[in-house]
Amino acid sequence: MAVYLGFDSSTQSLTVIAIEVEGSRRRVLYTRSLNFDEMFPEYGTKNGVLPHDDPLVARSSPKLWAQALDTMMGTLAKESGIPLAKVRAISGSGQQHGSVFLDASAGEILAHIDPGTPLVAQVGGIFARETSPIWMDSSTREECEEITQAVGGEGDLALLTGSRAFERFTGPQIRKYYKEDPDGYERTDKIHVVSSFMATLLAGRHACIEPGDGAGMNLMDIARRRWSAVALQATAPDLETKLPELHESWTIVGPLAPYWVKRYGFPAKAKVVAWSGDNPCSLIGVGLVSQGRIAISLGTSSTLFGFMPAPNVDPTGSGHVFGSPTGDYMSLICFENGSLARERVRDEHKLDWEGFSQALRATPPGNRGGILLPWYRPEITPTVHKPEVRRYGLDERDGPGNVRAVVEAQMVSMAIHSAWMGVNVSCIHATGGAARNRDILKVMADVMNAEVYQFEVTNSACLGAALRAYHADHVADRKKVSWEDVTAGFAEPVKSSRIAPDPGNVAVYEELKKIYSACEAHALRGGDDPMPLIEELRKRR
Ligand code: XUL
């Protein structure tokens, strides 16, 4: 029997999953989550983010992530009951785009961590920058423009790196830091993304970045899967010396560092496998290892993604191409106002999640034309820099109407902004915390006109990381394993969970999509007043 561990270092929590594989016998042994705000209040985060006066700035603490990892490894050793000696490999998933700036002392210090003292007490001095910008940061508009100009325009940058410049991507964030704190940048020896930083802590040496997360930086040549000299030069000086190496997703970074072996009893030969981004890991965790279906993840962000055999870049500029951990590609669109927007509406109307579901059940599909543009925070898709919540034909005090409106807005926006992918979606794999809620998934099925399936494990990023550990362990031992074998029995949708679209509701949403697009155009581009369209729908339905 072999045990594999997958971690997920996300915006709000650190989760672990332990899976057991013995031939075709596969099962989840253990899973546990640590919420950052609740478990580590001394860092002062709210929903995993440090408070800041500027609403466009979103940062977190890399020390908090290190402390959470240390606590979780202790929990695994002391409380989980899993057979530690059987752990063969460990991998992980990280919130994408976030960056960790380490100084030149990091290499030496990390190689000699004393197992007698907690990790954080020893790594406190390795950071050239105390805080890490994360994916919710949208303060780098200027830097995005500068990089775009230097590379030759939006289209060229997208063809080169898989995405036009995005505020949250690591390259623009690095450029901002270089401009604001040139000394800090100079002192920086290595810039990790969240995933490679966490793998670095486990292995006690600088881990590589892999093409899943590398593609979220505006720095990687997407077709060649190498750092792009042109993009690096456009971003900041000497960047090539500060970035970790770029290697395939199944790279073994090294054995587990002695700290974890001596302090907690993990096996010395356990392999640390390169960590990847949460969305690339999710692709594996919902079994999308070939073309044809898409997944929607309802976490802090909402993402819509699918497997892609070749890097086909989004001509509308809202989507991304990332590396898939299979060695292929994936397309992705990210919406910032995900779970936190749903929570805002829930809290504004003093509901719990059951009340939220009841409100969905009590209101008609299409919401009688009541529309909410749910930009509680700046939005990534479509680009909204200044947070703003707008209502059309919807009373602010109407609790059930606002609940339906926020869910419909999220689903309709996903449908509209994913049209460029040209995928005729007939089946959606739903994942992330809110995928447990079948009332939300019913709206998804009707808006997307597709069957929706749930999974036993809702944290597919975490499961995908454990499956990647299993895959890399086999590759390292020169054993043949296909991705279909890797995902079998774990990353398969629950057949009985199927939610089918209702043709009547699908027709309502076809009309609502037009109205929602008109509301977006009105709010963002000064388009025509959409109220006549809403009145017309009301007359007929
Ligand atoms: C993807 C993105 C988010 C984060 C969330 O591009 O920014 O989905 O990965 O952790």
Side-chain angles (χ1 to χ4, degrees), residues 11 95-97 135 168 278-279 301 303 320 322 332 334:
T11 318
Q95 52 170 313
Q96 296 199 254
H97 318 295
W135 67 276
R168 70 194 191 285
D278 48 6
N279 293 293
S301 62
T303 55
H320 315 298
F322 293 156
L332 178 131
C334 181

CSV table of all heavy atoms in Angstrom, one decimal, residues 11 95-97 135 168 278-279 301 303 320 322 332 334, ligand 1:
chain,number,residue,atom,x,y,z
A,11,THR,N,-6.5,30.8,-0.7
A,11,THR,CA,-6.6,32.2,-0.2
A,11,THR,C,-6.9,32.2,1.3
A,11,THR,O,-6.3,32.9,2.1
A,11,THR,CB,-7.7,33.0,-0.9
A,11,THR,OG1,-7.7,32.7,-2.3
A,11,THR,CG2,-7.6,34.5,-0.7
A,95,GLN,N,-2.7,28.9,-4.3
A,95,GLN,CA,-3.5,30.0,-5.0
A,95,GLN,C,-2.5,30.6,-6.0
A,95,GLN,O,-1.3,30.7,-5.8
A,95,GLN,CB,-3.9,31.1,-4.0
A,95,GLN,CG,-2.8,31.6,-3.1
A,95,GLN,CD,-3.3,32.9,-2.3
A,95,GLN,OE1,-3.9,33.8,-2.8
A,95,GLN,NE2,-3.0,32.9,-1.0
A,96,GLN,N,-3.0,30.8,-7.2
A,96,GLN,CA,-2.1,31.2,-8.3
A,96,GLN,C,-1.7,32.7,-8.2
A,96,GLN,O,-2.3,33.5,-7.6
A,96,GLN,CB,-2.8,31.0,-9.7
A,96,GLN,CG,-3.1,29.5,-9.9
A,96,GLN,CD,-3.4,29.2,-11.4
A,96,GLN,OE1,-4.5,29.0,-11.7
A,96,GLN,NE2,-2.3,29.2,-12.2
A,97,HIS,N,-0.6,33.0,-8.9
A,97,HIS,CA,-0.1,34.3,-9.1
A,97,HIS,C,0.7,35.0,-8.0
A,97,HIS,O,1.5,35.9,-8.2
A,97,HIS,CB,-1.2,35.3,-9.6
A,97,HIS,CG,-2.1,34.7,-10.6
A,97,HIS,ND1,-1.7,34.3,-11.9
A,97,HIS,CD2,-3.4,34.3,-10.6
A,97,HIS,CE1,-2.7,33.7,-12.5
A,97,HIS,NE2,-3.8,33.8,-11.8
A,135,TRP,N,-3.5,36.9,-5.7
A,135,TRP,CA,-4.3,37.1,-6.9
A,135,TRP,C,-5.4,38.1,-6.9
A,135,TRP,O,-5.9,38.5,-7.9
A,135,TRP,CB,-4.9,35.7,-7.3
A,135,TRP,CG,-5.9,35.2,-6.4
A,135,TRP,CD1,-5.7,34.5,-5.2
A,135,TRP,CD2,-7.3,35.4,-6.5
A,135,TRP,NE1,-6.9,34.3,-4.6
A,135,TRP,CE2,-7.9,34.8,-5.3
A,135,TRP,CE3,-8.2,35.9,-7.4
A,135,TRP,CZ2,-9.3,34.8,-5.1
A,135,TRP,CZ3,-9.6,35.9,-7.2
A,135,TRP,CH2,-10.1,35.3,-6.1
A,168,ARG,N,-3.2,40.9,-11.6
A,168,ARG,CA,-2.8,40.0,-10.5
A,168,ARG,C,-1.6,39.1,-10.9
A,168,ARG,O,-1.0,38.4,-10.0
A,168,ARG,CB,-4.0,39.1,-10.1
A,168,ARG,CG,-4.4,38.1,-11.2
A,168,ARG,CD,-5.7,37.5,-10.9
A,168,ARG,NE,-6.1,36.4,-11.7
A,168,ARG,CZ,-6.5,36.4,-13.0
A,168,ARG,NH1,-6.5,37.5,-13.6
A,168,ARG,NH2,-6.8,35.3,-13.6
A,278,ASP,N,-3.7,26.2,-8.1
A,278,ASP,CA,-4.9,25.4,-7.7
A,278,ASP,C,-5.8,25.1,-8.9
A,278,ASP,O,-6.3,24.0,-8.9
A,278,ASP,CB,-5.7,26.2,-6.7
A,278,ASP,CG,-5.9,27.7,-7.0
A,278,ASP,OD1,-5.6,28.1,-8.1
A,278,ASP,OD2,-6.5,28.4,-6.1
A,279,ASN,N,-5.8,25.9,-9.9
A,279,ASN,CA,-6.6,25.6,-11.1
A,279,ASN,C,-6.1,24.4,-11.9
A,279,ASN,O,-6.8,23.5,-12.2
A,279,ASN,CB,-6.9,26.8,-11.9
A,279,ASN,CG,-7.8,27.8,-11.2
A,279,ASN,OD1,-9.0,27.5,-10.9
A,279,ASN,ND2,-7.3,28.9,-10.8
A,301,SER,N,-12.6,32.4,-5.7
A,301,SER,CA,-12.8,32.9,-7.0
A,301,SER,C,-13.7,31.9,-7.7
A,301,SER,O,-13.8,30.7,-7.2
A,301,SER,CB,-11.5,33.0,-7.8
A,301,SER,OG,-10.9,31.7,-8.0
A,303,THR,N,-13.9,29.9,-11.2
A,303,THR,CA,-13.2,29.7,-12.4
A,303,THR,C,-13.9,28.7,-13.3
A,303,THR,O,-14.6,27.8,-12.8
A,303,THR,CB,-11.7,29.2,-12.2
A,303,THR,OG1,-11.8,28.0,-11.4
A,303,THR,CG2,-10.9,30.3,-11.5
A,320,HIS,N,-7.3,32.9,-20.2
A,320,HIS,CA,-5.9,32.5,-20.1
A,320,HIS,C,-5.6,31.2,-20.7
A,320,HIS,O,-6.5,30.3,-20.7
A,320,HIS,CB,-5.4,32.5,-18.7
A,320,HIS,CG,-5.9,33.6,-17.9
A,320,HIS,ND1,-5.5,34.9,-18.1
A,320,HIS,CD2,-6.7,33.7,-16.8
A,320,HIS,CE1,-6.1,35.7,-17.2
A,320,HIS,NE2,-6.8,35.0,-16.4
A,322,PHE,N,-3.0,28.2,-19.6
A,322,PHE,CA,-2.0,27.8,-18.6
A,322,PHE,C,-1.5,26.4,-19.1
A,322,PHE,O,-2.1,25.7,-19.9
A,322,PHE,CB,-2.6,27.6,-17.2
A,322,PHE,CG,-3.1,28.9,-16.6
A,322,PHE,CD1,-4.1,28.8,-15.6
A,322,PHE,CD2,-2.5,30.1,-16.9
A,322,PHE,CE1,-4.5,30.0,-14.9
A,322,PHE,CE2,-3.0,31.3,-16.2
A,322,PHE,CZ,-3.9,31.2,-15.2
A,332,LEU,N,-8.6,28.9,-19.2
A,332,LEU,CA,-9.2,29.3,-17.9
A,332,LEU,C,-9.7,30.7,-18.0
A,332,LEU,O,-9.1,31.6,-18.6
A,332,LEU,CB,-8.2,29.2,-16.8
A,332,LEU,CG,-8.8,29.6,-15.4
A,332,LEU,CD1,-8.5,28.5,-14.3
A,332,LEU,CD2,-8.2,30.9,-14.9
A,334,CYS,N,-11.2,33.6,-15.1
A,334,CYS,CA,-11.3,33.7,-13.6
A,334,CYS,C,-12.3,34.9,-13.3
A,334,CYS,O,-12.2,36.0,-13.9
A,334,CYS,CB,-10.0,34.0,-13.0
A,334,CYS,SG,-9.9,34.2,-11.3
B,1,XUL,C1,-6.8,32.1,-11.3
B,1,XUL,C2,-6.9,32.9,-10.1
B,1,XUL,C3,-7.7,32.4,-8.9
B,1,XUL,C4,-6.7,31.9,-7.9
B,1,XUL,C5,-7.5,31.5,-6.7
B,1,XUL,O1,-6.2,32.8,-12.4
B,1,XUL,O2,-6.5,34.1,-10.0
B,1,XUL,O3,-8.5,31.3,-9.3
B,1,XUL,O4,-5.9,30.8,-8.4
B,1,XUL,O5,-6.7,30.8,-5.7
